[in-house]
Amino acid sequence: RMTPAEALHALRAAEARDGPIPVDFRRDLLAKLASALLGRSEAIAAAVDADYGGRSRLDTLLADVVCTADAARYTRRHLRRWARPRRVPVPFPFWPASAREVPTPKGVVGIMSPWNYPVQLALWPAVDAIAAGNRVALKPSERTPRTAALLAELVEAALGPGIARTVLGGPEVAADFAAQSWDHLV
């Protein structure tokens, strides 16, 4: 099992080694994530059902799998436009100056997710963070251990260890995760 500090260190090392994530690679990652979610949908429904001791398969498929895959596909479609620098207005006293807003990644984003929609609430913020060019570390809820383990497998297969890591564990691990020096924490 990876500690939060090890996950952060590994992702910072990948960031230093590989540099910023290019927009086209981000789009590929989002497509792989959506495909992995849909491809493992029945396994996800079974894991959530087992963790809850009974949960509607349809609820999991709609609220956890399909809506998250749709978010990844939607974001992928719009990403090139969203990632472009754009002109912004300059206040009158500074005329004739011009200004541009340049979307810039924050770095490494930590994502702590609750138990109630364990896939959606872990991966939807990951979709946004990856689209913005960040690397992510997930800390799924310990109340859904089967789903958390499946998320770890899915994320590693779809995104790879240079983009995303998953940290598993209980409240002590969650406290350690929250204490790390993430560039942003969700």
Side-chain angles (χ1 to χ4, degrees):
R1 287 199 173 187
M2 176 171 287
T3 68
E6 290 168 340
L8 178 59
H9 178 72
L11 292 169
R12 288 225 192 276
E15 183 180 43
R17 180 186 65 241
D18 302 333
I21 305 169
V23 171
D24 284 335
F25 188 54
R26 296 180 215 169
R27 293 182 78 245
D28 290 344
L29 292 168
L30 293 172
K32 286 178 185 178
L33 183 59
S35 178
L37 275 166
L38 295 172
R40 307 280 309 265
S41 62
E42 291 301 329
I44 291 168
V48 173
D49 180 57
D51 283 338
Y52 276 60
R55 181 174 177 202
S56 164
R57 176 182 164 275
L58 187 57
D59 185 28
T60 299
L61 293 178
L62 290 175
D64 271 317
V65 177
V66 173
C67 88
T68 308
D70 282 351
R73 291 189 298 218
Y74 178 86
T75 301
R76 182 183 187 277
R77 271 194 314 273
H78 295 278
L79 184 55
R80 281 194 184 106
R81 182 172 48 86
W82 292 344
R84 277 195 299 246
R86 54 196 153 276
R87 291 180 59 105
V88 293
V90 177
F92 172 73
F94 299 104
W95 287 1
S98 64
R100 298 182 78 70
E101 184 178 83
V102 180
T104 306
K106 288 183 176 262
V108 180
V109 175
I111 301 169
M112 298 178 71
S113 58
W115 58 270
N116 54 334
Y117 286 94
V119 176
Q120 179 198 128
L121 296 175
L123 294 183
W124 199 320
V127 164
D128 294 341
I130 290 164
N134 301 292
R135 287 167 169 79
V136 297
L138 303 177
K139 169 49 185 95
S141 175
E142 63 278 1
R143 292 180 182 249
T144 53
R146 294 168 192 87
T147 306
L150 185 58
L151 271 174
E153 292 172 19
L154 188 143
V155 163
E156 184 169 333
L159 304 175
I163 300 296
R165 298 289 178 120
T166 305
V167 177
L168 302 175
E172 301 80 20
V173 173
D176 186 22
F177 191 94
Q180 298 301 312
S181 59
W182 309 106
D183 296 307
H184 192 75
L185 179 62
V186 178

